[in-house]
Amino acid sequence: MSLKNTTIPAAVIMSCLAQPLLANETIPSIQLEQDTETVIITTSRFESDVNQLPSHVTVITKQEIERLSATDLSQVLRRVPGVQVSNTNGKTSVSMRGISAEQAGSNVLVLVDGQRLNKTDLASPDIDTINIIDIERIEIIQGAGSSLYGDQAVAGVINIITRSGKKQTKTLRYAQGSFEQKQAAANLGFQLDEQWSVVLKGNKKTTDNYRDHNELKNNQLGAELFYQDNQQQWRFSHRTRNETQQTPGALLDSDLGNPRQSRPEFANDYVSTDEYFSRVFGQLKLNSQWQFALDINHQESDIQSINSFINFATSNVNQTRRSQSGIYPRIKGDWNTDNGPMQWIAGIDYDKAEYQFSLLARSNEQTSESVYSQFYWPLSTKLQLELAGRLAEVEDQLSDAALYPQGIVLDKSASAYDIGFSYQLSGATKSFIRYSNNYRFAKVDEQAYTSDGVLGLEPQTGISIEAGVSGQFESSSLQASVYQLKLKDEIIFDPSATPPAGAFFPGANVNGSESTRLGLLLDYRYFIDESEVGVSYHWVDAEIDSSERIVPGVSENTVTSWFDWQLTSDISWFLEAHHRGDRYQDGDTTNSFAKVDAYTILNSALVWRFDNARLGLRVDNLLDKEYIDYAQFNGYYPAKGRDVIITFDLVF
């Protein structure tokens, strides 16, 4: 197989991608699930006690994001054990629990205020478009969430909660840094009367990025109207995004002497996106025991792009159009018992998506329907049982010029269930054990490129078993767990599979062999007055069972350690060391390509607070280390060099 042929599958797959402040603040670092006062949404799709779910829940607060002087989500998520961050062409993907970056968009569910960012094609959730100053907190559920969230919640759920109008906070940001980075952003909350409030938000960002031919221009506007009284709350949201980005493409090994370059065949490549999101969310208190919630959302995107391959330039302008709508009614019942509160949640999820891709005359109309239920039962004052389950069906009406020119209807179904126990060892220490069944359905790109004679891929299914302990002590905190994630009929692209008739590159999407991931997660923090020393660690042994080969794209060891020091009441300094171990290139199921080397980088941030202003200086890759962030089929994507950015925020 020639090098040219081995790089084309990656390019073809990727061608489908869319592409009030106080001076004496103390450190409010990452809140672990043992914080009994933390109320979160992601564990039940209602506001709930963080201790309920027998799993690790990480809550990252707005205050911690500010202390990191963070300007994008990758800087924040990199610290969370079990999370691996990769970057291609200036776009970030987030994987969890031994899932590769290539598969992350299909197996890790990303939400913004409960609205899905995951797509029905192979495009990854675009977390780079989320403005940091809009975020109130980030809730991360480690482990399978299929019972509660259905498709794609195999390895975990990341829910980004944005600010509401209730706090009336107004934030203005200006940022400028390396690679011609400039950003002007606003998040303005206003209280209209006792019940009504509004948030207006905007973001304008430009950068050349690190690579040549990688200029990005992003403009966003949004508005949210809130109503709340003693019995109900409503949220009406709308936001738009217009973005144009040049895409520098992959490099060959021989090109890496100049990692900033872009090969000449990518000189005309770009992605231009127009997108909007709308959402209506309401929650009503029916009586002292029952609540009802209704979530209706819709999103559309119109994408133009030119996508060349290594050694094969093209000038064809591709059109991709997506439309996704969801209706999610649900109820919650609460009852007091001698052992504590008992809770039952049930709901219906209805999703409809339409997709068109001009290059391959590919289109799809997908309808998904499911019902789910979740039950929390306190067996004693310390021991709680969780039971949950979901039944789901999906129908794809698919057309593809090569494989299904006359169209085909594919019907699939799947189920998920959880059983878990959490035990309160003391007021601030908890242990848990959980068994989960999970699934995901094949995406449109996967269904439309299968081996000759294969009419649709079966749903991927899996079993997750995890156990852990967490606790907060007088001057420290600990969060540790072990897990096994076993996937059956895993949906992957296999370059050695028989391609469909008329294919112009080798390989096909297949239901692969079983794979098993054994892992350990650790998060330890030690507090010194208002300062913090911490380390997070993820070890995973990810193997393809039939061959005992290593799952590609997965590092066995990932470690992040940091020191967050409150120098004075107004100044804090943060230093972080992040290490990611070597791994096989994404897509390399035979483990036959050269490995991607391990790397260690240093990141630092300095923050000054005065009156109602905040000045931040952040430096990523402090030592200007050259390393590869992502590689697939001998196509390499170099990471950024030293990246310096200054932020100035006004908060009033």
Side-chain angles (χ1 to χ4, degrees):
M1 185 181 296
S2 70
L3 181 61
K4 176 181 175 180
N5 287 337
T6 59
T7 56
I8 284 178
V12 170
I13 291 173
M14 294 186 70
S15 73
C16 300
L17 301 183
Q19 321 190 339
L21 187 67
L22 300 178
N24 62 347
E25 275 185 311
T26 59
I27 296 176
S29 61
I30 289 182
Q31 299 179 30
L32 305 179
E33 78 263 44
Q34 64 268 26
D35 183 349
T36 57
E37 295 183 358
T38 301
V39 175
I40 65 171
I41 295 171
T42 313
T43 56
S44 68
R45 299 172 72 168
F46 284 89
E47 290 187 354
S48 303
D49 186 330
V50 74
N51 274 310
Q52 285 186 314
L53 188 70
S55 182
H56 278 158
V57 181
T58 302
V59 180
I60 306 173
T61 66
K62 172 176 66 71
Q63 290 83 4
E64 179 179 17
I65 294 171
E66 292 169 354
R67 290 185 65 87
L68 299 178
S69 193
T71 55
D72 62 66
L73 276 174
S74 64
Q75 297 164 333
V76 179
L77 297 176
R78 190 180 288 119
R79 298 179 64 191
V80 180
V83 172
Q84 291 186 344
V85 178
S86 302
N87 189 283
T88 59
N89 285 332
K91 289 296 183 182
T92 303
S93 64
V94 179
S95 56
M96 297 175 68
R97 292 210 164 186
I99 298 293
S100 69
E102 180 188 27
Q103 297 294 322
S106 303
N107 292 280
V108 177
L109 183 62
V110 180
L111 310 168
V112 175
D113 295 319
Q115 185 172 14
R116 288 174 176 259
L117 286 191
N118 299 63
K119 312 302 182 184
T120 58
D121 63 341
L122 284 172
S124 295
D126 197 347
I127 66 170
D128 299 285
T129 64
I130 301 167
N131 188 7
I132 281 288
I133 69 169
D134 294 338
I135 297 175
E136 181 65 27
R137 66 185 185 276
I138 304 169
E139 301 174 357
I140 303 170
I141 307 299
Q142 299 273 5
S146 297
S147 292
L148 195 58
Y149 287 96
D151 192 22
Q152 303 172 10
V154 172
V157 180
I158 300 172
N159 194 6
I160 297 141
I161 310 297
T162 63
R163 300 186 189 182
S164 70
K166 294 183 292 183
K167 296 189 176 181
Q168 304 177 57
T169 305
K170 300 172 182 64
T171 303
L172 299 175
R173 164 167 288 191
Y174 179 77
Q176 187 165 342
S178 306
F179 319 121
E180 299 298 321
Q181 295 178 78
K182 294 181 181 179
Q183 181 190 23
N187 184 290
L188 308 174
F190 301 92
Q191 191 75 31
L192 303 179
D193 59 26
E194 291 185 359
Q195 286 82 35
W196 290 94
S197 59
V198 66
V199 172
L200 304 176
K201 57 185 74 173
N203 184 31
K204 182 179 179 65
K205 179 180 179 181
T206 60
T207 178
D208 289 343
N209 279 307
Y210 176 66
R211 302 273 307 279
D212 295 335
H213 188 67
N214 201 192
E215 179 181 319
L216 177 142
K217 297 179 180 179
N218 180 280
N219 296 287
Q220 297 184 68
L221 290 172
E224 294 187 285
L225 185 63
F226 298 85
Y227 176 87
Q228 182 168 353
D229 60 26
N230 293 332
Q231 300 297 319
Q232 59 186 318
Q233 57 177 298
W234 291 90
R235 184 171 188 165
F236 307 89
S237 308
H238 183 78
R239 60 187 175 96
T240 64
R241 174 172 74 100
N242 171 262
E243 179 180 283
T244 301
Q245 182 175 22
Q246 298 171 334
T247 51
L251 296 177
L252 298 178
D253 183 66
S254 57
D255 301 320
L256 295 179
N258 178 15
R260 299 190 67 168
Q261 68 176 305
S262 173
R263 291 176 61 86
E265 54 263 44
F266 300 109
N268 296 315
D269 284 23
Y270 73 97
V271 178
S272 178
T273 304
D274 288 302
E275 192 167 33
Y276 75 80
F277 300 81
S278 298
R279 180 175 182 247
V280 176
F281 173 77
Q283 186 168 318
L284 293 78
K285 186 176 181 180
L286 303 177
N287 54 40
S288 60
Q289 292 181 328
W290 291 97
Q291 295 182 57
F292 172 78
L294 178 63
D295 198 340
I296 303 173
N297 61 68
H298 179 74
Q299 55 184 284
E300 289 192 11
S301 55
D302 190 347
I303 303 156
Q304 291 185 338
S305 63
I306 295 178
N307 306 89
S308 299
F309 312 145
I310 285 182
N311 293 326
F312 184 79
T314 180
S315 59
N316 292 331
V317 178
N318 306 316
Q319 298 275 352
T320 305
R321 290 186 173 89
R322 302 192 197 98
S323 173
Q324 296 176 224
S325 301
I327 302 176
Y328 313 129
R330 50 191 181 264
I331 59 170
K332 174 186 175 184
D334 290 285
W335 298 269
N336 291 322
T337 73
D338 292 339
N339 295 326
M342 183 169 60
Q343 185 180 99
W344 178 62
I345 296 155
I348 299 171
D349 288 351
Y350 176 84
D351 292 278
K352 183 150 187 189
E354 295 182 359
Y355 172 85
Q356 294 179 327
F357 182 51
S358 64
L359 176 64
L360 303 174
R362 181 178 295 168
S363 65
N364 188 45
E365 183 175 304
Q366 183 184 84
T367 303
S368 175
E369 301 171 326
S370 56
V371 295
Y372 66 92
S373 178
Q374 184 184 49
F375 182 63
Y376 291 104
W377 181 18
L379 302 177
S380 72
T381 55
K382 293 188 175 183
L383 180 64
Q384 182 165 256
L385 167 68
E386 183 228 3
L387 296 171
R390 175 182 289 261
L391 298 173
E393 293 183 351
V394 65
E395 179 187 88
D396 289 289
Q397 299 182 26
L398 175 64
S399 296
D400 181 82
L403 199 60
Y404 302 117
Q406 304 303 317
I408 190 172
V409 177
L410 302 171
D411 291 305
K412 302 296 179 182
S413 62
S415 62
Y417 59 88
D418 298 341
I419 179 170
F421 295 90
S422 60
Y423 186 79
Q424 203 72 30
L425 299 170
S426 67
T429 307
K430 184 188 79 172
S431 62
F432 72 88
I433 186 168
R434 189 179 186 218
Y435 179 97
S436 302
N437 177 270
N438 59 73
Y439 70 88
R440 87 164 177 96
F441 295 117
K443 292 190 171 186
V444 57
D445 306 297
E446 296 166 324
Q447 295 285 37
Y449 203 85
T450 58
S451 296
D452 194 23
V454 176
L455 300 179
L457 299 174
E458 294 300 314
Q460 170 187 299
T461 60
I463 294 173
S464 175
I465 304 171
E466 56 185 316
V469 62
S470 58
Q472 287 185 335
F473 313 104
E474 184 176 350
S475 59
S476 63
S477 68
L478 173 67
Q479 181 177 10
S481 66
V482 292
Y483 67 86
Q484 180 189 71
L485 175 61
K486 196 174 188 69
L487 299 180
K488 181 181 178 182
D489 291 329
E490 187 171 4
I491 301 170
I492 60 172
F493 180 85
D494 184 353
S496 64
T498 303
F504 58 94
F505 64 90
N509 297 302
V510 302
N511 285 118
S513 303
E514 291 186 0
S515 62
T516 301
R517 294 157 175 84
L518 296 173
L520 167 68
L521 299 174
L522 176 67
D523 188 303
Y524 177 75
R525 296 150 192 263
Y526 184 77
F527 308 104
I528 309 167
D529 296 326
E530 295 180 0
S531 301
E532 173 186 299
V533 179
V535 60
S536 68
Y537 174 62
H538 180 216
W539 170 84
V540 60
D541 178 24
E543 294 187 354
I544 302 169
D545 293 354
S546 61
S547 61
E548 296 186 354
R549 294 191 176 101
I550 304 301
V551 174
V554 179
S555 298
E556 183 177 10
N557 295 284
T558 306
V559 187
T560 304
S561 58
W562 64 89
F563 180 40
D564 192 345
W565 186 17
Q566 190 72 33
L567 298 172
T568 70
S569 60
D570 301 323
I571 303 174
S572 62
W573 174 60
F574 171 81
L575 179 66
E576 170 188 78
H578 176 72
H579 171 82
R580 182 176 180 184
D582 61 5
R583 69 271 189 199
Y584 287 100
Q585 298 180 36
D586 276 68
D588 182 17
T589 55
T590 61
N591 295 172
S592 57
F593 293 96
K595 276 189 171 183
V596 180
D597 291 337
Y599 64 85
T600 302
I601 57 173
L602 297 178
N603 306 312
S604 186
L606 194 62
V607 179
W608 294 266
R609 300 171 179 82
F610 41 94
D611 297 328
N612 63 335
R614 180 172 55 245
L615 182 65
L617 169 64
R618 183 175 175 104
V619 184
D620 286 322
N621 196 359
L622 188 65
L623 302 181
D624 199 22
K625 182 178 179 61
E626 292 184 359
Y627 64 97
I628 300 301
D629 212 342
Y630 179 83
Q632 186 181 47
F633 299 110
N634 286 332
Y636 297 93
Y637 293 84
K640 280 186 178 182
R642 184 185 296 113
D643 189 3
V644 182
I645 190 163
I646 297 173
T647 57
F648 179 72
D649 297 338
L650 283 176
V651 184
F652 51 95

